[in-house]
Amino acid sequence: MNTEPETYEDLIRHKRCVDLIQSYDLTAEELEQIYNFLKDNPKAQISGNKSSLTMRVLYNTAIAPIVLNCKCIDPTIDGVKLSNDFYQIIPHYTHSSGYSGGGYSGGGSSNNNNNNNNNNNNNR
């Protein structure tokens, strides 16, 4: 980002790139590449995970995706998605140790007892 933003879109793009370097370990050249990719491709989207950023142009198979191997340095996120229109952080998710994997199971007999009690009271 060697140039000063000239338009509002340039300013927003610049801001998103600055936000990106707070989450990923990027060189100046990689950051410039991301900025220019977004600037040159209005339909560009960048998806990040813990170990890389992938730049692609949506709905255009003629332009191959570009993968930058870079480490996510923010342990509170699992990735990002950004384009010229949005910037989304994917928060890190840790499941609780009490999760059994069986779905909702609590309160079954209690709910049945309440329904039976309500039905008995209505029949009086």
Side-chain angles (χ1 to χ4, degrees):
M1 301 177 326
N2 296 325
T3 60
E4 288 294 319
E6 295 179 7
T7 65
Y8 179 73
E9 289 79 16
D10 289 341
L11 182 64
I12 296 300
R13 191 177 305 109
H14 188 275
K15 167 79 167 86
R16 289 185 178 141
C17 287
V18 168
D19 290 345
L20 191 61
I21 62 173
Q22 294 175 7
S23 300
Y24 285 87
D25 186 19
L26 295 165
T27 65
E29 293 81 22
E30 289 170 330
L31 193 59
E32 188 73 26
Q33 183 180 6
I34 292 168
Y35 180 84
N36 289 331
F37 189 80
L38 289 170
K39 185 175 183 178
D40 296 340
N41 300 292
K43 300 268 185 209
Q45 181 174 322
I46 298 172
S47 302
N49 58 32
K50 286 291 198 183
S51 61
S52 66
L53 292 170
T54 303
M55 301 184 290
R56 67 176 49 96
V57 179
L58 301 177
Y59 314 113
N60 188 341
T61 56
I63 300 174
I66 300 167
V67 178
L68 298 175
N69 292 319
C70 56
K71 182 180 176 186
C72 178
I73 56 175
D74 185 347
T76 66
I77 69 170
D78 282 341
V80 297
K81 289 190 180 219
L82 71 123
S83 73
N84 287 306
D85 299 324
F86 66 87
Y87 187 92
Q88 176 186 12
I89 292 177
I90 302 165
H92 180 65
Y93 173 75
T94 54
H95 63 278
S96 67
S97 61
Y99 178 69
S100 65
Y104 178 78
S105 62
S109 64
S110 175
N111 286 341
N112 287 339
N113 288 338
N114 289 339
N115 288 337
N116 289 337
N117 290 338
N118 288 339
N119 288 338
N120 290 337
N121 290 336
N122 290 337
N123 291 332
R124 290 183 190 174

